[in-house]
Amino acid sequence: MAGGREPGPGLAVERVVEALELLLRPPAGPGERGDEAVPGPEGALRLEPLRRNVCALEERLREPGWAALRGLHRAVLARTPALAAGVAAEADPCWAAACALLALLLCLKERLAALAAADAGTGTGATPGATPGAAPGSGATPGTGTGAAPPPSADTLSVAQAQAVGRALRAAVGLGLVPYLPPGVGQVPGPRPPPPASCGPRLLAATAALSELAQHPALGAPLLARHLGLLLASLCLLGHGPAACSEGVSDAERARCRQTLQHILDRIYQPLAVRELLILQGRPKQNPPSPGEQTKPALVQAPAWLRRLCGQLLSERLMRPRGVQAVVRGIMEGAGAGGAGAEAAAVDWRKCDAVAKILASCPQQCPSLEEYYRLVCPQVLGLLHIQDKLTALQFQRVATTTLLTMAKEHPQLAEKYLLQPLLAPLLRCSETAELVMEDLSAGAVLVTEAELGSCVEDVLKVYVVGNDSSSLLLGSLQSVLGVVFSLYSFAKQNVSYLRSPCQEILLWFLEKSEREVALAVLEGFAGLNSIVPTLHPRCRFCAGSEGGATITVEETISDEDDALYQKISLEQCHMETLVELLSHCQKSGLAGDFFIRCLQALTHVAAEDEVASNLAAAPGGSLLELEQYHTGQRRKLLVLQLVATLCENISDTVFTDVAQVQEFVAATLQRACASPAQGPGAAVEAQTLAMAMGLVAAMLGGAVQLQSSDFAILKRLVPLLEELSRTYPEPVTQELASDLRIAICTHGAFSPGTLGAAADGVLRKKPGTGVQGPDGIPNGAPGLGGDRAPSWHSHSNSAPGERSEEQTLSHEPSTTGPALTSCTDSPAGLQELLVSAYDPQPPGRAAALRCLTSLITQRDPEALRLQEKLLQVFLENVQHEDAFVYLSAIQGIALLSSEYPERILPILLAEYRCPARGTEDATAAITRMKLGEVLMRVTQALGDMVFKHREPLVQAFLQGARDPDSALRASSLSNLGELCQRLSFQLGSIIHEVTSCVTAIAKTDPEAEVRRAAVHVVVLLLRGLSEKATEVLQDVLRDLYRLLKYVVMAEPDGATRLHAQLALEELDVVMRRVLFPPQTLQKKITVLP
């Protein structure tokens, strides 16, 4: 340690520390503790012991062994006359003790500096691996240990020495600074007497000595760590305080104090400086506490000059490089930034908002507001990129709130210095960017992967998380929305982490913007308008190495066919992405409104078709007209493609209320009125018109609960229906339009038969298949969206008795709204359903099968009596090629078998083993696989009761595993695995048969998918048994393990090896739980007799 290697008779550091301890020695006896205590932090020191300690130090310095310290002490006092006068002042023992402490600390500083200089000159401290404290003749070789730590420097203090120095610093501050600071300057808890009249010279002497000590690393670290606030307070008072408080201090000395203050603030950790200045500034006025509330002792309010000075110094800290981060850390570190309480502190949004308001306010000493924004805004954006997970949440909230506050107060400056730099990577590659693309070589990177990923994440944090839908933010985001959509489309086609943030950004904008703006933006995504700037035509996205994307310059494609193909492929990809994005906007009704907008555009396309064709055929057209014609044709093709894609993907759930249905029907009627069905597409147009009118007829017929407000919306269709009834060339459509118009005007009181036929057509139900109820509603009519009629109203706005007269007279909708009854109420209706189960049209057949299934669920007596006949109907429909039909049949068989397993399961197992004769092998295998799906559904429905039918099921699946058809073998093994997983510990002796079958197939089957299914049986078996695997499989566990190891080592199919590896991992987890059970601590209470 310090002084341990000092040769010769020089002064050792231990001697200086001994003198400090002598000066701070506590009272020797209990009788000496009754004196008056010294004010300040060193309250344990008493006046009389201080006098004796100072006298004892002077006597000790006269001894011969203390000559070196005596000489250094005299030299220090000679260059600090104020301390020398204070040591000699016997009238004031506190000041004398403070001067003596400061003089000894300066001696220690001089000695440590000399030791460090000597150590640097000889190079002893730089020898790595030296053994500290080894005697010269002990034989220890410095640096022999390869892993030994380097020796400490010569000026390093030991632990005991550092503690003694810390006590001395605390006493020096308490005796030399605190008594001479006025109240409110330097927040010291507890009462303080007013400082003496001429306190300036003494405060200057103590402050100068402490400032000199702060320059040394070993002494400055504990001083600035514990007493920085009081040191700054004394420097502020001497350099900037009123003249009355610094009486006796010259102007030059005050200037030096100001320089020292600035030097200390510049060299210390900036968040610490901010925190200490905030403490010096003092807390604002607090409201008086409520009665009974416990509060901390109130601190004295700082004087006005100190508050102004601290504000000015804080503003200087803020406007320095990295000053924003320093201010945020200085304020938030007390709330947990950088520690375990950071997450809890981030929840305290009030503190974050307060910091944001500070950052958004321009200080008074700043030359201009724009200059402040230029300096601070880049640092605010830098807060979004903090990597520390403990503080990132706080800094993100502060940055977001600051940005939003600045955008509200000064939108133009915020857009220039915040939003544009934030969106710069996206604006750089937009089609509106002014880039000289010809100067960039093909393949040049415009936006790197890290830059693009950071930009997208920042946009998500500011716009989506900040959730401020001001016009400035929406407008700025709209300028890059086309690029974000292109990036989202690219991420959908690739594996990229940017997919989710891009989707959230797009959905947020569509939700927060006005409906018309959102629809226009969607049209821009589809290429129907240019309101949204898209990606530059020379730019393209490339997959990044870290899961992101880069933006590069694309090579010019010389081949026109390749360019056209790439353009069409890109448009198709954007169309699919747009439809997928709209699938998330159905609840808000945006998808329905956009669908209607597309239908209206389709109407304009139909109306302009003839005019455009005449223009194209006219000779002598200019190039401009020809270009406009081609542009119009491209837009028409985009509209047709968009409508087709929407109808294919989201048309079944796109409408959310009656108003949207009315707009949809109105668009269809307008198209029919503008261009009656003629030519090659007449059949499609006529069918579309029939479906739209049938939809209105179904609504009027009771499929939807209509209210008076709904009829007011439907009345908008009356002019179109009237025009259609007069101009449409087909008489049937004219009659239906006229009847619909009358039904809407009478609120459903008049409902001719044409409406029922049209409703049945749109609901995919033959007329007459259901039984008419007492009110004339077909009881078997399904709803528009499923088994129950949908209602777009949560409750009726009026009671049933308050309905209008028209609705009261109506014989179709009842007062409580239509409700679906059972599919049949009589044996005749059941017979009709059985006949419809053989309908050549798949929709009618599937609807009949589902109605029969519903009868079984409702335990209809007639249906239960004919359960064997129903089973035969279902089995015959299982062989149908339409997925809707055979899945409905499978559902019916599974439900029937789970209700009556004793009767139905033997029939199904017989059909599974021996299919119907006269069928081809491929058809028979497909039928058996469908029956296997039925057996699996029955197994799941039976639950634990499946144990009773264990033997026949296992035998059937084992027999299927030996079938010549590979697909059937794989299906049987998959069903066997599900059954074994369901049986769990009830497997019993059949596990041997299962193991033998699986082992043989996994080793010898020529088809990879069959071997894969065999290994999957083992995975399901181990997963179902879990910890019971060692008990149930104890006889075959070794064989299964060997099988899995064999598959991993010898199987050529990668997927099969993966299944085997998963099974080994399941087995490893099971065995580890058995061999190493988790240790549980339990408390046991024993009652002794």
Side-chain angles (χ1 to χ4, degrees), residues 274-291:
V274 171
R275 187 171 59 193
E276 292 297 336
L277 288 175
L278 287 173
I279 295 175
L280 280 180
Q281 195 175 26
R283 65 176 64 185
K285 295 182 179 180
Q286 303 289 332
N287 296 327
S290 59

Side-chain angles (χ1 to χ4, degrees), residues 984-1012:
S984 187
F985 62 89
Q986 298 175 342
L987 280 169
S989 59
I990 66 170
I991 189 61
H992 296 279
E993 303 178 32
V994 174
T995 305
S996 301
C997 176
V998 169
T999 303
I1001 292 176
K1003 291 183 177 181
T1004 62
D1005 198 282
E1007 297 293 336
E1009 63 177 359
V1010 182
R1011 298 195 303 272
R1012 195 181 307 158

Side-chain angles (χ1 to χ4, degrees), residues 653-995:
T653 56
V654 70
F655 297 133
T656 58
D657 54 19
V658 177
Q660 288 186 338
V661 174
Q662 178 268 327
E663 293 181 4
F664 161 69
V665 176
T668 306
L669 296 180
Q670 287 174 357
R671 190 168 64 254
C673 294
S675 59
Q678 295 176 357
V684 178
E685 290 290 342
Q687 186 177 4
T688 304
L689 179 60
M691 291 180 63
M693 298 176 70
L695 180 60
V696 179
M699 294 170 58
L700 294 172
V704 175
Q705 181 179 351
L706 297 177
Q707 300 180 3
S708 301
S709 58
D710 299 330
F711 279 103
I713 295 174
L714 290 177
K715 285 183 179 179
R716 302 171 188 169
L717 301 175
V718 171
L720 293 173
L721 290 172
E722 184 177 359
E723 182 180 357
L724 196 67
S725 64
R726 291 186 290 100
T727 61
Y728 201 77
E730 188 178 356
V732 178
T733 304
Q734 289 183 357
E735 182 183 2
L736 179 58
S738 178
D739 293 342
L740 283 175
R741 181 178 62 85
I742 297 173
I744 292 174
C745 293
T746 60
H747 286 207
F750 173 77
S751 181
T754 54
L755 298 187
D760 290 338
V762 79
L763 295 174
R764 292 187 177 183
K765 181 178 179 300
K766 287 186 176 182
T769 56
V771 178
Q772 297 290 330
D775 293 333
I777 305 172
N779 292 331
L784 288 179
D787 295 338
R788 292 188 59 85
S791 175
W792 287 317
H793 305 278
S794 58
H795 58 276
S796 178
N797 294 329
S798 59
E802 298 173 359
R803 299 284 180 119
S804 63
E805 185 178 355
E806 293 86 345
Q807 280 186 299
T808 306
L809 296 176
S810 174
H811 64 277
E812 292 208 1
S814 61
T815 56
T816 58
L820 282 183
T821 60
S822 61
C823 288
T824 182
D825 290 335
S826 66
L830 179 59
Q831 293 299 328
E832 291 179 358
L833 288 177
L834 292 175
V835 172
S836 299
Y838 296 94
D839 194 320
Q841 296 296 329
R845 179 179 291 203
L849 293 176
R850 291 193 175 269
C851 284
L852 291 175
T853 304
S854 178
L855 292 178
I856 299 173
T857 306
Q858 299 172 5
R859 294 183 174 274
D860 184 78
E862 186 64 21
L864 298 181
R865 187 178 63 83
L866 300 175
Q867 58 181 270
E868 295 182 0
K869 187 174 183 179
L870 293 179
L871 177 62
Q872 188 65 26
V873 171
F874 286 138
L875 288 175
E876 293 179 4
N877 279 279
V878 163
Q879 304 177 12
H880 199 279
E881 61 181 5
D882 189 271
F884 193 31
V885 174
Y886 71 71
L887 287 177
S888 301
I890 287 175
Q891 182 181 0
I893 299 175
L895 183 60
L896 195 62
S897 303
S898 61
E899 294 290 338
Y900 307 99
E902 302 292 341
R903 300 180 186 177
I904 308 300
L905 266 183
I907 301 175
L908 291 179
L909 291 173
E911 289 285 339
Y912 186 76
R913 293 193 186 96
C914 303
R917 296 181 179 179
T919 57
E920 299 179 359
D921 294 340
T923 305
I926 293 175
T927 303
R928 292 177 68 182
M929 284 190 284
K930 295 176 181 177
L931 291 176
E933 173 67 20
V934 174
L935 293 175
M936 275 302 92
R937 294 195 184 191
V938 174
T939 301
Q940 296 172 0
L942 290 177
D944 294 338
M945 295 299 296
V946 77
F947 173 74
K948 186 176 181 181
H949 309 281
R950 177 190 62 176
E951 301 290 343
L953 286 171
V954 172
Q955 292 175 6
F957 293 144
L958 289 176
Q959 181 179 350
R962 296 192 297 271
D963 193 87
D965 188 273
S966 61
L968 181 58
R969 294 201 304 273
S971 175
S972 300
L973 288 173
S974 178
N975 295 336
L976 180 63
E978 294 287 345
L979 178 61
C980 292
Q981 186 180 18
R982 182 71 58 179
L983 287 173
S984 187
F985 62 89
Q986 298 175 342
L987 280 169
S989 59
I990 66 170
I991 189 61
H992 296 279
E993 303 178 32
V994 174
T995 305

Side-chain angles (χ1 to χ4, degrees), residues 437 439-447 538-540 542 550-556:
M437 305 295 294
D439 296 343
L440 299 175
S441 60
V445 178
L446 283 179
V447 182
R538 287 286 307 279
C539 298
R540 67 184 180 93
C542 296
T550 61
I551 302 179
T552 60
V553 180
E554 186 180 17
E555 296 183 5
T556 304

Side-chain angles (χ1 to χ4, degrees), residues 294-565:
Q294 297 181 357
T295 58
K296 296 181 180 180
L299 299 178
V300 180
Q301 188 177 6
W305 67 267
L306 183 58
R307 294 198 301 271
R308 290 192 299 270
L309 175 63
C310 291
Q312 180 181 355
L313 295 175
L314 285 171
S315 299
E316 293 176 359
R317 301 302 103 191
L318 174 62
M319 299 179 66
R320 288 166 56 92
R322 301 178 64 86
V324 171
Q325 190 174 144
V327 170
V328 176
R329 288 187 182 274
I331 298 177
M332 303 298 294
E333 273 182 352
E343 184 176 355
V347 179
D348 187 8
W349 56 268
R350 290 168 296 197
K351 177 166 288 190
C352 296
D353 290 351
V355 178
K357 290 180 180 179
I358 294 175
L359 297 179
S361 302
C362 178
Q364 296 180 355
Q365 60 267 26
C366 187
S368 66
L369 181 63
E370 186 171 0
E371 179 69 15
Y372 176 74
Y373 272 60
R374 188 184 63 82
L375 293 174
V376 171
C377 289
Q379 301 185 46
V380 172
L381 295 178
L383 297 179
L384 298 171
H385 305 147
I386 300 297
Q387 299 298 325
D388 186 10
K389 294 182 179 180
L390 293 176
T391 58
L393 192 60
Q394 281 183 316
F395 283 82
Q396 173 186 330
R397 187 179 187 93
V398 170
T400 303
T401 310
T402 304
L403 191 147
L404 298 178
T405 305
M406 289 181 170
K408 290 180 180 178
E409 294 180 354
H410 305 284
Q412 295 179 352
L413 293 177
E415 183 177 7
K416 180 179 180 181
Y417 293 105
L418 284 174
L419 298 181
Q420 290 185 1
L422 178 68
L423 303 173
L426 299 176
L427 293 171
R428 195 182 310 159
C429 56
S430 174
E431 64 179 357
T432 59
E434 297 180 359
L435 293 178
V436 184
M437 305 295 294
E438 292 75 8
D439 296 343
L440 299 175
S441 60
V445 178
L446 283 179
V447 182
T448 62
E449 180 181 5
E451 190 178 6
L452 183 59
S454 176
C455 176
V456 173
E457 291 178 356
D458 291 347
V459 171
L460 180 69
K461 295 173 185 176
V462 172
Y463 288 85
V464 181
V465 179
N467 198 23
D468 188 349
S469 57
S470 63
S471 59
L472 175 64
L473 293 179
L474 291 176
S476 62
L477 183 59
Q478 184 175 342
S479 62
V480 297
L481 215 56
V483 181
V484 175
F485 178 76
S486 300
L487 178 59
Y488 175 59
S489 179
F490 172 80
K492 289 286 292 182
Q493 305 299 322
N494 300 272
V495 179
S496 176
Y497 69 90
L498 297 175
R499 181 189 311 171
S500 179
C502 288
Q503 177 179 320
E504 292 186 29
I505 292 170
L506 294 171
L507 292 177
W508 179 85
F509 180 86
L510 295 176
E511 178 187 356
K512 297 300 180 179
S513 59
E514 297 181 359
R515 183 55 56 93
E516 287 300 322
V517 176
L519 293 175
V521 167
L522 290 174
E523 290 180 347
F525 291 161
L528 300 179
N529 61 32
S530 58
I531 191 174
V532 178
T534 59
L535 188 68
H536 198 281
R538 287 286 307 279
C539 298
R540 67 184 180 93
F541 293 102
C542 296
S545 59
E546 302 295 333
T550 61
I551 302 179
T552 60
V553 180
E554 186 180 17
E555 296 183 5
T556 304
I557 303 177
S558 57
D559 191 352
E560 295 183 358
D561 294 338
D562 293 344
L564 180 61
Y565 174 76

